[in-house]
């Protein structure tokens, strides 16, 4: 036997369905607002994601870095000696070093120079764990060999296509190098493109850099050792010209840096605008629904329906709109994410938490509108019906 | 003898506040017994609708005594008003059907008010009632697809389906032509007699006075009882 509320005539549903055009306009409006919110949140997420993509691919349990570190794209160096000192601490198994700097890459097509991020790794002990890089490690040991990030912006030239015809000669910082393969990292705030070289090639490309001054130190710990304990010991034991960070802290500092630039605020504003647009649209729809049906609501009151029952109907209408409007908003956003990716090469994934968050916002949006429209409903006076 | 279903003593009613306060009902006294069909007529603006809305619990009574089904309406709270509304069947001059519901669903809305009915086959009951008012072939029509007389008959079905002890009807035939007005009134009369309800009907239509057991005449807010022969 059906529960009582299911046996009742679904007034909210009937009322929405009766005015199909109005329903469609409402759903389009809510979908549009949701889409706005989805795109803002997605872009923000993806920007932060790409800004920390390199951080996430480092093989490290703890990271050693210059204390002034704010972003990996302009990071100061520190003495390699500090990294070697950590080896004498309990729990530390091995260390790796990484050089980072910006070079000028000349596009083989347009012959124009453009800044590109160069990562100098030790081929015998690579800092990154990119499976794509491993087959090239031996070849990288030779001087003037680089790997190119296929997810770099297209302004660097059609490198991936050209590589199919064999190794490609390129100009980096006015020196000739051989591009021998591809890997995937992606463009971000700080870098439009990336290349990986060996540490020796790196030092040759940047003659002013000292070999014993590195940018990032990566520390590998014994399995089962508490990273926080080792971190505390290292921080206490080492001179304070270096900072010891967990990979999470490392990535968080990077995110904070970009957030402080107002990016979070700008995208947040977009979300708020979407939210308000949604409220206005849903309110308009609910208000005109109530106004149009005011005598009918008054009749229901005259028949003995309570105010509470009618308010419930209005809230149901609001929630139905929320649920139905969310679906086109969600689907449209998936498409827009794809378009954004093709335009900017920023991969935006639909995340479950984001979808849940936007659904929640939509429900709040519709409830607020419903609550405002209720005031009109209460003015339905059964004494005016006769 | 049973107590009257409607019992009014020294009822006064006013509209407006302060200096604008205007009395529209003066010292109304009236008793209506179960099963009676009473017709109320009178000139426009004499206070008929006002009295009807008071009896139906749509307005709060102000002064005097107004008992509906033994419930004193003078000073009644909102819950008590809603309770009375559920036990009274209304037929409005403008039928006021829900435009977004079919004839059947409109009639159902009246049954759904009563929790004890909700587990019965409401659709079957609604359809049976619509058949009784001659609309068996229109159950799934929306009001916009029905004629004025058909809409009024849906409204009657809605008012009567929950077997109310009192039916209040405010000019139910005003918008109808002679033939359909007569039909509507006869359907009401038949159903009310079957159900043993009491009916109070406001009308300007002299052609339907013959169905009444008693005719009341309202003038300038005062009630004149004219016994039928
Ligand atoms: N809400 C109101 N506020 C103030 N005055 C009102 C209101 N409703 C009715 N009146 C006044 O009360 C008086 C009685 O009105 P009522 O509607 O009861 O008349 P009626 O007998 O039903 O008339 P009709 O036959 O035209 O329907 C009228 O003078 C009217 O102007
Ligand atoms: Mg009237």
């Amino acid at each position: 036997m059906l529960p009582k509320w299911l046996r009742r005539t679904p007034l909210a549903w009937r009322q929405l369905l009766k005015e199909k055009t109005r329903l469609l306009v409402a759903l389009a409006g809510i979908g549009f607002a949701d889409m706005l919110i989805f795109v803002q949140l997605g872009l923000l997420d993806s920007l932060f994601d790409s800004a920390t993509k390199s951080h996430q691919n480092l093989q490290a349990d703890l990271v050693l870095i210059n204390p002034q570190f704010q972003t990996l794209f302009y990071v100061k160096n520190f003495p390699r000696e500090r990294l070697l000192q950590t080896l004498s601490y309990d729990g530390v198994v091995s260390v790796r070093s990484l050089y980072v700097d910006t070079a000028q890459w000349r596009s083989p097509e347009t012959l124009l120079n453009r800044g590109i991020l160069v990562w100098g790794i030790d081929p015998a002990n690579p800092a990154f764990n990119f499976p794509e890089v491993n087959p090239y490690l031996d070849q990288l040991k030779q001087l003037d060999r680089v790997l190119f990030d296929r997810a770099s912006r297209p302004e660097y030239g059609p490198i991936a296509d050209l590589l199919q015809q064999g190794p490609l000669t390129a100009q980096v910082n006015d020196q000739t190098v051989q591009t021998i393969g591809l890997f995937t990292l992606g463009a971000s705030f700080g870098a439009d493109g990336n290349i990986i070289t060996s540490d020796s090639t790196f030092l040759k490309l940047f003659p002013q850099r000292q070999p014993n001054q590195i940018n990032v130190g990566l520390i590998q710990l014994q399995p089962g050792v508490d990273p926080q304990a080792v971190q505390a010991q290292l921080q206490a034991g080492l001179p304070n010209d270096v900072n010891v960070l967990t990979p999470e802290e490392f990535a968080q500092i990077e995110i904070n840096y970009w957030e402080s630039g107002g990016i979070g605020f700008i995208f947040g504003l977009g979300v708020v605008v979407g939210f308000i647009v949604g409220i206005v649209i849903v309110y308009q729809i609910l208000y005109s629904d109530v106004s149009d049906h005011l005598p009918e609501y008054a009749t229901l009151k005259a028949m003995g329906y309570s105010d509470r029952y009618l308010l419930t109907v209005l809230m149901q209408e609001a929630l139905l709109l929320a649920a139905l409007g969310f679906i086109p908003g969600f689907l449209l956003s998936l498409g827009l994410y794809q378009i954004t990716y093709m335009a900017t090469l920023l991969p935006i994934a639909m995340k479950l938490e984001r979808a849940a968050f936007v659904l929640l916002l939509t429900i709040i949006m519709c409830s607020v509108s419903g609550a405002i429209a209720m005031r009109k409903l209460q003015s339905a006076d059964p004494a005016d019906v006769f | 003898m049973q107590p009257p279903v409607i019992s009014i003593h020294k009822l006064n009613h006013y509209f407006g506040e302060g200096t604008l306060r205007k009395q529209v009902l003066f010292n109304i006294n009236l008793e209506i017994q179960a099963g009676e069909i009473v017709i109320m007529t009178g000139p426009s603006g004499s206070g008929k609708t006002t009295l009807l809305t008071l009896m139906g619990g749509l307005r709060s009574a102000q002064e005097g005594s107004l008992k509906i089904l033994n419930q004193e309406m003078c000073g009644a709270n909102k819950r008590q008003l809603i309770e009375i509304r559920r036990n009274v069947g209304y037929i409005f001059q403008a039928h006021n059907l829900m435009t977004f519901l079919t004839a059947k669903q409109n009639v159902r809305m009246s049954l759904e008010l009563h929790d004890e009915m909700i587990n019965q086959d409401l659709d079957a009951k609604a359809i049976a009632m619509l058949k009784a008012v001659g609309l068996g072939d229109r159950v799934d029509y929306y009001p916009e697809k029905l004629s004025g007389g058909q809409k009024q008959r849906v409204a009657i079905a809605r008012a009567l389906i929950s077997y109310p002890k009192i039916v209040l009807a405010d000019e139910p035939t005003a918008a109808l032509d002679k033939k359909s007005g007569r039909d509507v009134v006869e359907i009401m009369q038949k159903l009310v007699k079957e159900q043993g309800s009491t009916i109070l009907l406001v009308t300007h239509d002299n052609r339907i006075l013959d169905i009444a057991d008693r005719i009341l005449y309202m003038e300038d807010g005062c009630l004149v009882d004219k016994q039928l022969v």
Side-chain angles (χ1 to χ4, degrees):
Chain A
M1 180 124 283
L2 287 165
K4 235 198 284 193
W5 61 272
L6 264 182
R7 299 181 60 85
R8 293 189 190 280
T9 305
L11 279 190
W13 184 236
R14 293 270 168 242
Q15 200 167 332
L16 284 178
L17 278 191
K18 192 72 208 309
E19 298 265 352
K20 297 234 166 46
T21 339
R22 185 182 285 173
L23 178 63
L24 281 183
V25 171
L27 298 191
I30 299 167
F32 175 76
D34 276 359
M35 190 187 75
L36 216 60
I37 296 174
F38 261 124
V39 167
Q40 304 291 326
L41 291 178
L43 274 176
L44 191 61
D45 242 28
S46 131
L47 288 176
F48 287 142
D49 227 43
S50 61
T52 57
K53 190 96 180 277
S54 38
H55 306 58
Q56 289 157 14
N57 282 293
L58 291 174
Q59 312 205 49
D61 298 319
L62 287 174
V63 177
L64 225 54
I65 196 112
N66 185 296
Q68 289 172 26
F69 161 72
Q70 283 184 296
T71 167
L72 205 44
F73 304 104
Y74 314 105
V75 66
K76 294 217 166 79
N77 45 32
F78 67 92
R80 180 193 294 276
E81 197 190 338
R82 297 287 170 268
L83 185 59
L84 299 176
Q85 280 171 350
T86 65
L87 284 170
S88 62
Y89 285 75
D90 276 349
V92 177
V93 177
S94 65
V95 296
R96 300 180 170 94
S97 61
L98 179 66
Y99 297 102
V100 194
D101 218 324
T102 305
Q104 292 298 317
W105 168 280
R106 179 176 301 162
S107 160
E109 217 180 29
T110 62
L111 301 184
L112 290 175
N113 275 329
R114 191 181 179 93
I116 196 165
L117 209 62
V118 185
W119 306 88
I121 62 168
D122 177 0
N125 195 7
F128 288 112
N129 53 359
F130 291 127
E132 286 173 303
V133 172
N134 295 337
Y136 294 109
L137 287 175
D138 266 341
Q139 295 181 58
L140 270 186
K141 283 178 187 158
Q142 300 172 46
L143 269 185
D144 298 329
R145 296 283 190 277
V146 305
L147 297 174
F148 183 83
D149 176 7
R150 67 159 64 80
S152 302
R153 292 201 51 87
E155 284 81 354
Y156 295 100
I159 309 301
D161 292 344
L162 294 173
L163 258 179
Q164 309 218 311
Q165 293 136 36
L168 176 74
T169 310
Q171 295 281 320
V172 176
N173 275 0
D174 296 325
Q175 300 183 36
T176 305
V177 296
Q178 289 275 321
T179 308
I180 53 171
L182 296 170
F183 69 103
T184 314
L185 180 54
S188 65
F189 289 118
D192 288 341
N194 303 279
I195 53 178
I196 292 179
T197 72
S198 71
D199 38 11
S200 339
T201 308
F202 182 90
L203 292 168
K204 184 163 174 275
L205 289 174
F206 299 95
Q208 76 283 8
R209 291 285 304 255
Q210 305 295 317
N212 57 359
Q213 295 287 320
I214 62 173
N215 294 104
V216 189
L218 307 172
I219 299 170
Q220 196 91 43
L221 299 180
Q222 263 166 17
V225 172
D226 175 18
Q228 252 121 28
V230 182
Q231 181 189 20
Q233 282 172 1
L234 288 175
Q235 197 68 74
L238 292 172
N240 49 16
D241 56 358
V242 284
N243 244 358
V244 189
L245 301 174
T246 62
E248 294 76 32
E249 294 168 342
F250 187 46
Q252 193 55 51
I253 292 177
E254 183 82 40
I255 288 179
N256 294 347
Y257 175 79
W258 297 107
E259 245 175 7
S260 67
I263 283 177
F265 176 77
I266 291 170
F267 284 100
L269 204 63
V271 172
V272 171
V273 168
F275 187 70
I276 292 175
V277 166
I279 288 187
V280 171
I281 292 173
V282 181
Y283 172 72
Q284 277 295 325
I285 299 292
L286 290 181
Y287 182 87
S288 38
D289 240 5
V290 173
S291 310
D292 288 1
H293 296 297
L294 212 53
E296 294 162 44
Y297 279 118
T299 305
L300 286 172
K301 281 192 195 177
M303 286 165 65
Y305 281 96
S306 62
D307 283 6
R308 220 191 58 214
Y309 181 83
L310 298 182
L311 294 182
T312 317
V313 170
L314 189 63
M315 273 335 263
Q316 282 171 353
E317 245 186 273
L319 292 180
L320 277 171
L321 282 176
L324 292 178
F326 177 79
I327 297 168
F330 178 85
L331 295 178
L332 275 175
S333 308
L334 286 182
L336 265 185
Y337 283 177
Q338 197 55 39
I339 292 171
T340 313
Y341 173 64
M342 292 193 292
T344 63
L345 291 181
L346 276 179
I348 311 182
M350 180 57 82
K351 289 186 181 156
L352 190 65
E353 308 97 82
R354 192 185 312 138
F357 177 67
V358 175
L359 182 59
L360 185 74
L361 276 188
T362 317
I363 290 174
I364 296 175
M365 186 162 91
C366 293
S367 313
V368 169
S369 310
I372 313 176
M374 268 182 193
R375 306 227 313 271
K376 179 77 182 167
L377 181 58
Q378 267 153 346
S379 73
D381 185 356
D384 297 336
V385 170
F386 267 85
Chain B
M1 190 177 154
Q2 284 186 334
V5 289
I6 297 174
S7 163
I8 305 176
H9 289 287
K10 296 187 175 151
L11 182 74
N12 294 317
H13 196 80
Y14 309 84
F15 280 121
E17 306 260 310
T19 52
L20 293 175
R21 191 163 132 119
K22 181 173 156 264
Q23 187 165 6
V24 292
L25 293 182
F26 298 83
N27 192 27
I28 306 284
N29 293 289
L30 173 67
E31 287 195 346
I32 297 178
Q33 305 296 330
E36 266 192 294
I37 294 185
V38 179
I39 283 183
M40 181 158 62
T41 67
S44 182
S46 55
K48 305 180 296 293
T49 297
T50 308
L51 182 58
L52 220 58
T53 55
L54 285 169
M55 292 197 248
L58 304 190
R59 276 182 212 289
S60 303
Q62 296 166 342
E63 211 175 282
S65 164
L66 167 60
K67 275 191 182 161
I68 305 293
L69 302 170
N70 264 333
Q71 162 74 48
E72 177 56 59
M73 302 295 282
C74 205
N77 62 28
K78 205 160 183 183
R79 266 187 51 87
Q80 290 166 322
L81 287 183
I82 289 180
E83 198 47 46
I84 283 299
R85 290 176 192 172
R86 292 183 179 190
N87 286 303
V88 173
Y90 297 88
I91 298 161
F92 311 97
Q93 173 175 357
H95 25 75
N96 283 307
L97 301 176
M98 313 293 129
T99 52
F100 52 91
L101 297 181
T102 62
K104 181 182 75 189
Q105 289 161 348
N106 264 290
V107 175
R108 271 187 64 132
M109 287 309 292
S110 192
L111 285 175
E112 289 179 20
L113 273 168
H114 303 273
D115 277 345
E116 69 277 7
M117 301 233 198
I118 203 77
N119 283 328
Q120 302 176 16
D121 189 347
L122 300 188
D123 276 345
K125 277 180 181 279
I127 291 170
M129 194 68 195
L130 283 166
K131 277 194 183 128
V133 297
L135 289 176
D137 54 345
R138 295 284 190 278
V139 289
D140 290 322
Y141 278 51
Y142 283 96
E144 71 214 26
K145 297 272 163 59
L146 295 174
S147 75
Q150 290 169 333
K151 278 190 268 203
Q152 197 59 276
R153 279 185 272 166
V154 176
I156 291 170
R158 180 175 70 181
L160 299 183
I161 191 167
S162 52
Y163 292 78
K165 298 209 176 55
I166 301 176
V167 175
L168 301 174
D170 197 357
E171 309 192 34
T173 61
L176 307 180
D177 65 31
K178 183 175 173 223
K179 168 81 169 61
S180 40
R182 184 78 210 173
D183 285 352
V184 159
V185 173
E186 274 171 6
I187 289 165
M188 279 173 61
Q189 182 188 26
K190 176 168 146 276
L191 290 173
V192 164
K193 285 287 175 218
E194 282 168 13
Q195 297 182 2
S197 312
T198 304
I199 180 162
L200 178 58
L201 194 153
V202 170
T203 184
H204 291 289
D205 189 350
N206 294 329
R207 299 166 306 202
I208 61 172
L209 297 183
D210 59 291
I211 66 156
D213 299 326
R214 182 149 65 113
I215 294 177
L216 302 172
Y217 188 73
M218 174 83 92
E219 196 165 335
D220 293 336
C222 298
L223 203 59
V224 189
D225 199 343
K226 289 185 183 170
Q227 211 67 40
L228 256 196
V229 189

